[in-house]
Amino acid sequence: MLHAFDIDLTDHETRRRAEVVAALGDGWDPVGTLRDEDEAYRLLYSGLDAEQEETYRMLVAAGVLPARTGEGGGRGAASD
């Protein structure tokens, strides 16, 4: 015989998130981290040749990659 039961993971998830933030330490700068990620993203897709740029745009249109700023939103990285 099967019995239905519920498991509330709210307490566990709250504790897990608190542990993650504690592990990051006092020096963690979330705004700086996002800024660095955006810069890395911008550099990753800079200097593409025409064929690579077309492939990039196709992947953005398909929803595989996020668009750069100026291309309908996305990560917020500056477009080159």
Side-chain angles (χ1 to χ4, degrees):
M1 174 179 251
L2 297 176
H3 297 280
F5 63 94
D6 292 325
I7 298 175
D8 184 0
L9 297 176
T10 305
D11 289 338
H12 174 73
E13 180 62 13
T14 301
R15 191 180 113 259
R16 185 194 67 78
R17 289 181 183 193
E19 293 294 331
V20 167
V21 171
L24 292 171
D26 294 336
W28 181 57
D29 177 14
V31 173
T33 300
L34 289 174
R35 187 173 37 248
D36 292 346
E37 283 185 12
D38 285 343
E39 177 63 11
Y41 183 80
R42 187 190 65 76
L43 289 171
L44 180 63
Y45 294 106
S46 66
L48 300 178
D49 64 28
E51 183 179 352
Q52 292 167 330
E53 186 66 32
E54 180 58 33
T55 301
Y56 170 81
R57 289 175 195 248
M58 179 183 64
L59 292 171
V60 169
V64 175
L65 293 174
R68 293 176 283 196
T69 299
E71 296 180 20
R75 296 182 53 87
S79 181
D80 51 294

Coordinates of all heavy atoms in Angstrom, one line a residue:
M1 N 0.8 -1.2 0.0 CA 0.0 0.0 0.0 C 0.9 1.3 0.0 O 1.9 1.3 0.7 CB -0.9 0.0 1.2 CG -1.7 1.2 1.4 SD -2.8 1.1 2.8 CE -4.3 1.0 2.0
L2 N 0.6 2.2 -0.8 CA 1.3 3.5 -0.9 C 0.7 4.5 0.0 O -0.5 4.6 0.2 CB 1.3 4.0 -2.4 CG 2.0 3.1 -3.4 CD1 1.8 3.7 -4.8 CD2 3.4 2.9 -3.1
H3 N 1.6 5.3 0.6 CA 1.1 6.4 1.5 C 1.8 7.7 1.0 O 3.0 7.8 0.7 CB 1.6 6.2 2.9 CG 1.0 4.9 3.5 ND1 -0.3 4.9 4.0 CD2 1.5 3.7 3.7 CE1 -0.5 3.7 4.5 NE2 0.5 3.0 4.3
A4 N 0.9 8.7 0.9 CA 1.4 10.0 0.5 C 2.0 10.7 1.7 O 1.5 10.6 2.8 CB 0.3 10.8 -0.1
F5 N 3.1 11.4 1.5 CA 3.7 12.2 2.6 C 4.4 13.4 2.0 O 4.8 13.4 0.8 CB 4.7 11.4 3.4 CG 5.9 10.9 2.7 CD1 7.0 11.6 2.7 CD2 5.8 9.7 2.0 CE1 8.2 11.1 2.0 CE2 6.9 9.2 1.3 CZ 8.1 9.9 1.3
D6 N 4.5 14.4 2.8 CA 5.2 15.7 2.3 C 6.4 15.9 3.1 O 6.5 15.5 4.3 CB 4.3 16.9 2.6 CG 3.0 16.9 1.7 OD1 3.1 16.4 0.6 OD2 2.0 17.3 2.2
I7 N 7.4 16.4 2.5 CA 8.7 16.7 3.1 C 8.9 18.2 2.9 O 9.0 18.7 1.8 CB 9.9 15.9 2.6 CG1 9.7 14.5 2.8 CG2 11.2 16.4 3.2 CD1 10.7 13.6 2.2
D8 N 9.0 19.0 4.0 CA 9.2 20.4 3.9 C 10.7 20.7 4.0 O 11.3 20.4 5.1 CB 8.5 21.2 5.0 CG 8.6 22.7 4.8 OD1 9.3 23.1 3.9 OD2 8.0 23.4 5.7
L9 N 11.4 21.1 2.9 CA 12.8 21.3 3.0 C 13.2 22.8 3.2 O 14.3 23.1 3.1 CB 13.4 20.8 1.6 CG 13.3 19.4 1.3 CD1 13.8 19.1 -0.1 CD2 14.0 18.5 2.4
T10 N 12.2 23.6 3.7 CA 12.5 25.0 3.9 C 13.6 25.2 4.9 O 14.5 26.0 4.6 CB 11.2 25.7 4.4 OG1 10.1 25.4 3.4 CG2 11.4 27.2 4.5
D11 N 13.6 24.5 6.0 CA 14.6 24.7 7.0 C 16.0 24.3 6.5 O 17.0 25.0 6.7 CB 14.3 23.9 8.3 CG 13.1 24.5 9.1 OD1 12.8 25.7 8.9 OD2 12.5 23.8 9.9
H12 N 16.0 23.2 5.8 CA 17.3 22.7 5.2 C 17.8 23.7 4.2 O 19.0 24.0 4.2 CB 17.1 21.4 4.6 CG 18.3 20.9 3.8 ND1 19.4 20.4 4.5 CD2 18.6 20.8 2.5 CE1 20.3 20.1 3.6 NE2 19.8 20.3 2.4
E13 N 16.9 24.2 3.3 CA 17.4 25.2 2.3 C 17.9 26.5 2.9 O 18.9 27.1 2.5 CB 16.2 25.5 1.3 CG 16.6 26.4 0.2 CD 17.7 26.0 -0.7 OE1 18.1 24.8 -0.7 OE2 18.2 26.8 -1.5
T14 N 17.2 27.0 4.0 CA 17.6 28.2 4.7 C 19.0 28.0 5.3 O 19.9 28.8 5.2 CB 16.6 28.5 5.7 OG1 15.3 28.7 5.1 CG2 17.0 29.8 6.5
R15 N 19.2 26.8 5.9 CA 20.5 26.5 6.5 C 21.6 26.4 5.4 O 22.7 26.9 5.6 CB 20.4 25.3 7.3 CG 21.7 25.1 8.2 CD 21.6 23.8 9.0 NE 22.7 22.9 8.5 CZ 22.5 21.9 7.7 NH1 21.3 21.5 7.3 NH2 23.5 21.2 7.3
R16 N 21.3 25.8 4.3 CA 22.2 25.6 3.2 C 22.6 27.0 2.7 O 23.8 27.2 2.5 CB 21.6 24.8 2.1 CG 22.6 24.4 1.0 CD 21.9 23.9 -0.2 NE 21.1 24.9 -0.9 CZ 21.6 25.9 -1.7 NH1 22.8 26.0 -1.9 NH2 20.7 26.7 -2.3
R17 N 21.7 27.9 2.5 CA 22.0 29.2 1.9 C 22.9 30.0 2.9 O 23.8 30.7 2.5 CB 20.7 30.0 1.6 CG 20.0 29.4 0.4 CD 18.8 30.2 0.1 NE 18.1 29.6 -1.1 CZ 17.1 30.2 -1.7 NH1 16.7 31.4 -1.4 NH2 16.6 29.6 -2.7
A18 N 22.5 29.9 4.2 CA 23.3 30.6 5.2 C 24.7 30.1 5.3 O 25.7 30.8 5.4 CB 22.6 30.4 6.6
E19 N 24.9 28.8 5.1 CA 26.3 28.2 5.1 C 27.1 28.6 3.8 O 28.3 28.9 3.9 CB 26.2 26.6 5.1 CG 25.7 26.1 6.4 CD 26.6 26.3 7.6 OE1 27.8 26.4 7.4 OE2 26.1 26.4 8.7
V20 N 26.4 28.8 2.7 CA 27.1 29.2 1.5 C 27.5 30.7 1.7 O 28.7 31.0 1.4 CB 26.1 29.1 0.3 CG1 26.7 29.9 -0.9 CG2 25.9 27.7 -0.1
V21 N 26.7 31.5 2.2 CA 27.1 32.9 2.5 C 28.2 33.0 3.5 O 29.1 33.8 3.3 CB 25.8 33.8 2.9 CG1 26.2 35.1 3.3 CG2 24.8 33.8 1.8
A22 N 28.1 32.2 4.5 CA 29.2 32.2 5.5 C 30.5 31.7 4.9 O 31.6 32.3 5.2 CB 28.8 31.3 6.7
A23 N 30.5 30.7 4.0 CA 31.7 30.2 3.4 C 32.3 31.3 2.5 O 33.5 31.3 2.3 CB 31.4 29.0 2.6
L24 N 31.5 32.1 1.9 CA 32.0 33.2 1.0 C 32.8 34.2 1.8 O 33.7 34.8 1.2 CB 30.8 33.9 0.3 CG 30.1 33.0 -0.8 CD1 28.9 33.7 -1.2 CD2 31.0 32.7 -1.9
G25 N 32.5 34.4 3.0 CA 33.3 35.3 3.9 C 32.9 36.7 3.8 O 32.1 37.1 2.9
D26 N 33.5 37.6 4.6 CA 33.2 39.0 4.7 C 33.7 39.7 3.5 O 33.2 40.8 3.1 CB 33.8 39.6 5.9 CG 33.1 39.1 7.2 OD1 31.9 38.6 7.1 OD2 33.8 39.1 8.3
G27 N 34.7 39.2 2.8 CA 35.3 39.9 1.7 C 34.6 39.7 0.3 O 35.0 40.3 -0.7
W28 N 33.5 38.9 0.3 CA 32.8 38.7 -0.9 C 32.0 39.9 -1.3 O 31.3 40.6 -0.6 CB 31.8 37.5 -0.7 CG 31.0 37.2 -1.9 CD1 31.5 36.8 -3.1 CD2 29.6 37.2 -2.0 NE1 30.5 36.6 -4.0 CE2 29.3 36.8 -3.4 CE3 28.5 37.4 -1.2 CZ2 28.0 36.6 -3.8 CZ3 27.2 37.3 -1.6 CH2 27.0 36.9 -3.0
D29 N 32.2 40.3 -2.6 CA 31.6 41.5 -3.1 C 30.7 41.0 -4.3 O 31.2 40.9 -5.4 CB 32.7 42.5 -3.6 CG 32.1 43.7 -4.3 OD1 30.9 44.0 -4.2 OD2 32.9 44.4 -5.0
P30 N 29.4 40.9 -4.0 CA 28.5 40.4 -5.1 C 28.4 41.3 -6.3 O 28.4 40.8 -7.5 CB 27.1 40.2 -4.4 CG 27.2 40.9 -3.2 CD 28.6 41.1 -2.8
V31 N 28.4 42.6 -6.1 CA 28.4 43.5 -7.2 C 29.7 43.4 -8.0 O 29.6 43.4 -9.3 CB 28.1 45.0 -6.7 CG1 28.2 46.0 -7.9 CG2 26.8 45.1 -6.1
G32 N 30.8 43.4 -7.4 CA 32.1 43.2 -8.1 C 32.2 41.9 -8.8 O 32.7 41.8 -9.9
T33 N 31.6 40.8 -8.2 CA 31.6 39.5 -8.8 C 30.8 39.6 -10.1 O 31.3 39.1 -11.2 CB 31.1 38.5 -7.9 OG1 31.9 38.4 -6.7 CG2 31.0 37.1 -8.6
L34 N 29.6 40.2 -10.1 CA 28.8 40.3 -11.3 C 29.5 41.2 -12.4 O 29.5 40.8 -13.6 CB 27.4 40.9 -11.0 CG 26.5 39.9 -10.2 CD1 25.3 40.6 -9.8 CD2 26.2 38.7 -11.0
R35 N 30.2 42.2 -11.9 CA 30.9 43.1 -12.9 C 32.0 42.3 -13.5 O 32.2 42.4 -14.7 CB 31.4 44.3 -12.1 CG 32.0 45.4 -13.0 CD 32.4 46.6 -12.2 NE 33.0 46.4 -10.9 CZ 32.3 46.7 -9.7 NH1 31.1 47.3 -9.8 NH2 32.9 46.5 -8.6
D36 N 32.7 41.5 -12.7 CA 33.8 40.7 -13.3 C 33.3 39.6 -14.3 O 33.9 39.4 -15.3 CB 34.6 40.0 -12.2 CG 35.4 41.0 -11.3 OD1 35.6 42.2 -11.8 OD2 35.9 40.6 -10.3
E37 N 32.2 39.0 -13.9 CA 31.6 38.0 -14.8 C 31.2 38.7 -16.2 O 31.4 38.1 -17.2 CB 30.3 37.4 -14.2 CG 30.7 36.4 -13.2 CD 29.4 35.7 -12.6 OE1 28.3 35.8 -13.2 OE2 29.5 34.9 -11.6
D38 N 30.6 39.9 -16.1 CA 30.2 40.6 -17.3 C 31.4 40.9 -18.2 O 31.3 40.9 -19.4 CB 29.4 41.8 -17.0 CG 27.9 41.5 -16.5 OD1 27.5 40.4 -16.8 OD2 27.3 42.4 -15.9
E39 N 32.5 41.4 -17.5 CA 33.7 41.7 -18.2 C 34.3 40.4 -18.9 O 34.7 40.5 -20.1 CB 34.7 42.3 -17.3 CG 36.1 42.6 -18.0 CD 36.0 43.6 -19.1 OE1 35.0 44.3 -19.3 OE2 37.0 43.7 -19.8
A40 N 34.3 39.3 -18.2 CA 34.7 38.0 -18.8 C 33.9 37.6 -20.0 O 34.4 37.2 -21.0 CB 34.8 37.0 -17.7
Y41 N 32.5 37.8 -19.8 CA 31.6 37.5 -20.9 C 31.9 38.3 -22.1 O 31.9 37.9 -23.2 CB 30.2 37.7 -20.4 CG 29.1 37.3 -21.4 CD1 28.8 35.9 -21.6 CD2 28.5 38.2 -22.1 CE1 27.8 35.6 -22.5 CE2 27.5 37.9 -23.0 CZ 27.1 36.5 -23.2 OH 26.2 36.2 -24.1
R42 N 32.1 39.7 -21.9 CA 32.4 40.6 -23.0 C 33.7 40.2 -23.7 O 33.7 40.1 -24.9 CB 32.5 42.0 -22.4 CG 32.6 43.0 -23.6 CD 33.0 44.4 -23.0 NE 34.3 44.5 -22.4 CZ 35.4 44.5 -23.1 NH1 35.4 44.4 -24.4 NH2 36.6 44.5 -22.5
L43 N 34.7 39.9 -22.9 CA 36.0 39.5 -23.5 C 35.8 38.1 -24.3 O 36.5 38.0 -25.4 CB 37.0 39.3 -22.5 CG 37.5 40.6 -21.8 CD1 38.4 40.4 -20.6 CD2 38.2 41.5 -22.9
L44 N 35.0 37.2 -23.8 CA 34.9 35.9 -24.4 C 34.3 36.1 -25.8 O 34.7 35.4 -26.8 CB 33.9 35.0 -23.6 CG 33.7 33.7 -24.1 CD1 34.9 32.8 -24.2 CD2 32.6 33.0 -23.3
Y45 N 33.4 37.0 -26.0 CA 32.7 37.2 -27.3 C 33.2 38.4 -28.1 O 32.6 38.9 -29.0 CB 31.2 37.2 -27.1 CG 30.7 35.9 -26.7 CD1 30.3 35.7 -25.3 CD2 30.7 34.8 -27.5 CE1 29.9 34.4 -24.9 CE2 30.3 33.5 -27.1 CZ 29.9 33.4 -25.8 OH 29.4 32.2 -25.4
S46 N 34.4 39.0 -27.7 CA 34.9 40.1 -28.4 C 35.9 39.6 -29.5 O 36.4 38.5 -29.4 CB 35.7 41.0 -27.5 OG 36.9 40.4 -27.0
G47 N 36.0 40.4 -30.6 CA 37.0 40.0 -31.6 C 36.5 38.9 -32.5 O 37.4 38.2 -33.1
L48 N 35.2 38.6 -32.6 CA 34.7 37.5 -33.4 C 34.8 37.9 -34.9 O 34.5 39.1 -35.2 CB 33.3 37.1 -33.1 CG 33.0 36.7 -31.6 CD1 31.5 36.4 -31.5 CD2 33.8 35.4 -31.3
D49 N 35.2 37.0 -35.7 CA 35.1 37.3 -37.2 C 33.6 37.2 -37.6 O 32.8 36.9 -36.8 CB 36.0 36.4 -38.0 CG 35.6 34.9 -38.0 OD1 34.4 34.6 -37.8 OD2 36.5 34.1 -38.1
A50 N 33.4 37.5 -38.9 CA 32.0 37.6 -39.4 C 31.2 36.3 -39.2 O 30.1 36.3 -38.8 CB 32.0 38.1 -40.8
E51 N 31.9 35.2 -39.5 CA 31.2 33.9 -39.4 C 30.9 33.5 -37.9 O 29.9 33.1 -37.6 CB 32.1 32.8 -40.0 CG 31.5 31.4 -40.0 CD 32.3 30.4 -40.7 OE1 33.4 30.7 -41.3 OE2 31.9 29.2 -40.6
Q52 N 31.9 33.8 -37.1 CA 31.7 33.6 -35.6 C 30.6 34.5 -35.1 O 29.8 34.0 -34.3 CB 33.0 33.8 -34.9 CG 34.1 32.8 -35.2 CD 35.4 33.2 -34.7 OE1 35.7 34.4 -34.6 NE2 36.3 32.3 -34.3
E53 N 30.6 35.7 -35.5 CA 29.5 36.6 -35.0 C 28.1 36.1 -35.5 O 27.2 36.2 -34.7 CB 29.8 38.0 -35.6 CG 28.8 39.1 -35.0 CD 28.9 39.3 -33.6 OE1 30.0 39.2 -33.0 OE2 27.9 39.7 -32.9
E54 N 28.0 35.6 -36.7 CA 26.8 35.1 -37.2 C 26.3 33.9 -36.4 O 25.2 33.7 -36.0 CB 26.9 34.7 -38.7 CG 25.6 34.2 -39.3 CD 24.4 35.1 -39.1 OE1 24.6 36.3 -39.2 OE2 23.3 34.6 -39.0
T55 N 27.3 33.0 -36.1 CA 27.0 31.8 -35.2 C 26.5 32.3 -33.8 O 25.6 31.8 -33.3 CB 28.2 30.9 -35.1 OG1 28.6 30.5 -36.4 CG2 27.9 29.7 -34.2
Y56 N 27.2 33.3 -33.3 CA 26.8 33.8 -32.0 C 25.4 34.3 -32.0 O 24.6 34.0 -31.1 CB 27.8 34.9 -31.6 CG 27.3 35.7 -30.4 CD1 27.5 35.2 -29.1 CD2 26.7 36.9 -30.5 CE1 27.1 35.9 -28.0 CE2 26.2 37.6 -29.4 CZ 26.4 37.1 -28.1 OH 26.0 37.8 -27.0
R57 N 25.1 35.1 -33.0 CA 23.7 35.7 -33.1 C 22.7 34.6 -33.3 O 21.6 34.7 -32.8 CB 23.7 36.7 -34.3 CG 24.4 38.0 -34.0 CD 24.5 38.9 -35.2 NE 25.5 39.9 -35.0 CZ 25.2 41.2 -34.8 NH1 24.0 41.6 -34.8 NH2 26.2 42.0 -34.6
M58 N 23.0 33.6 -34.0 CA 22.1 32.4 -34.2 C 21.8 31.7 -32.9 O 20.7 31.4 -32.5 CB 22.7 31.4 -35.2 CG 21.8 30.2 -35.4 SD 22.6 29.0 -36.5 CE 24.0 28.5 -35.6
L59 N 22.9 31.6 -32.1 CA 22.7 30.9 -30.8 C 21.9 31.8 -29.8 O 21.1 31.3 -29.0 CB 24.1 30.6 -30.2 CG 24.9 29.5 -30.9 CD1 26.3 29.4 -30.4 CD2 24.2 28.2 -30.8
V60 N 22.1 33.1 -29.9 CA 21.3 34.1 -29.1 C 19.9 34.0 -29.5 O 19.0 33.8 -28.6 CB 21.8 35.5 -29.2 CG1 20.9 36.5 -28.6 CG2 23.2 35.7 -28.5
A61 N 19.6 34.0 -30.8 CA 18.2 33.9 -31.3 C 17.5 32.6 -30.9 O 16.3 32.6 -30.6 CB 18.2 34.0 -32.8
A62 N 18.3 31.5 -30.8 CA 17.8 30.2 -30.4 C 17.6 30.1 -28.9 O 17.1 29.1 -28.4 CB 18.7 29.1 -30.9
G63 N 18.1 31.1 -28.1 CA 18.0 31.1 -26.7 C 19.1 30.3 -26.0 O 19.0 30.0 -24.8
V64 N 20.1 29.9 -26.7 CA 21.2 29.1 -26.2 C 22.2 30.0 -25.4 O 22.7 29.6 -24.3 CB 22.0 28.3 -27.3 CG1 23.2 27.6 -26.8 CG2 21.1 27.4 -28.0
L65 N 22.4 31.2 -25.9 CA 23.3 32.2 -25.2 C 22.5 33.4 -24.9 O 21.6 33.8 -25.7 CB 24.5 32.6 -26.1 CG 25.5 31.5 -26.4 CD1 26.5 32.0 -27.4 CD2 26.2 31.1 -25.1
P66 N 22.8 34.1 -23.8 CA 22.1 35.4 -23.5 C 22.6 36.5 -24.4 O 23.8 36.4 -24.8 CB 22.5 35.6 -22.1 CG 23.8 34.9 -21.8 CD 23.7 33.7 -22.7
A67 N 21.8 37.4 -24.8 CA 22.2 38.5 -25.6 C 23.0 39.5 -24.8 O 22.9 39.7 -23.6 CB 20.9 39.2 -26.2
R68 N 23.9 40.2 -25.5 CA 24.7 41.3 -25.0 C 23.8 42.5 -24.9 O 22.8 42.6 -25.6 CB 25.9 41.6 -25.8 CG 26.9 40.4 -25.8 CD 28.1 40.7 -26.7 NE 27.7 40.5 -28.1 CZ 28.5 40.3 -29.1 NH1 29.8 40.4 -28.9 NH2 28.1 40.1 -30.3
T69 N 24.1 43.5 -24.0 CA 23.4 44.7 -24.0 C 23.3 45.3 -25.4 O 24.3 45.3 -26.1 CB 24.0 45.7 -23.0 OG1 24.0 45.1 -21.7 CG2 23.3 47.0 -22.9
G70 N 22.1 45.8 -25.7 CA 22.0 46.4 -27.1 C 21.4 45.3 -28.0 O 21.2 45.7 -29.2
E71 N 21.3 44.1 -27.6 CA 20.8 43.0 -28.4 C 19.5 42.4 -27.8 O 19.3 41.2 -27.8 CB 21.8 42.0 -28.6 CG 23.0 42.4 -29.4 CD 24.1 41.3 -29.6 OE1 23.7 40.2 -29.5 OE2 25.2 41.6 -29.9
G72 N 18.8 43.2 -27.0 CA 17.6 42.7 -26.4 C 17.7 42.3 -25.0 O 17.0 41.4 -24.5
G73 N 18.6 42.9 -24.3 CA 18.8 42.5 -22.9 C 20.0 41.6 -22.7 O 21.0 41.7 -23.3
G74 N 19.8 40.7 -21.7 CA 20.9 39.7 -21.5 C 21.6 40.0 -20.2 O 21.1 40.6 -19.3
R75 N 22.9 39.7 -20.3 CA 23.7 39.8 -19.1 C 24.1 41.2 -18.7 O 24.5 41.4 -17.5 CB 25.0 39.0 -19.3 CG 24.8 37.6 -19.6 CD 26.1 36.9 -19.7 NE 27.0 37.2 -18.7 CZ 27.1 36.6 -17.5 NH1 26.3 35.6 -17.3 NH2 28.0 36.9 -16.6
G76 N 24.0 42.2 -19.5 CA 24.4 43.5 -19.2 C 25.8 43.9 -19.6 O 26.3 45.0 -19.3
A77 N 26.5 43.0 -20.2 CA 27.8 43.3 -20.7 C 27.8 44.2 -21.9 O 26.9 44.1 -22.7 CB 28.6 42.0 -21.1
A78 N 28.7 45.1 -22.0 CA 28.7 46.0 -23.1 C 29.0 45.3 -24.4 O 29.9 44.4 -24.5 CB 29.8 47.1 -22.9
S79 N 28.3 45.7 -25.4 CA 28.6 45.1 -26.8 C 29.8 45.8 -27.4 O 30.0 47.0 -27.2 CB 27.4 45.3 -27.6 OG 27.6 44.7 -28.9
D80 N 30.6 45.1 -28.1 CA 31.8 45.7 -28.7 C 31.5 46.1 -30.1 O 30.6 45.7 -30.7 CB 33.0 44.8 -28.6 CG 32.8 43.4 -29.0 OD1 32.1 42.7 -28.4 OD2 33.5 43.0 -30.0

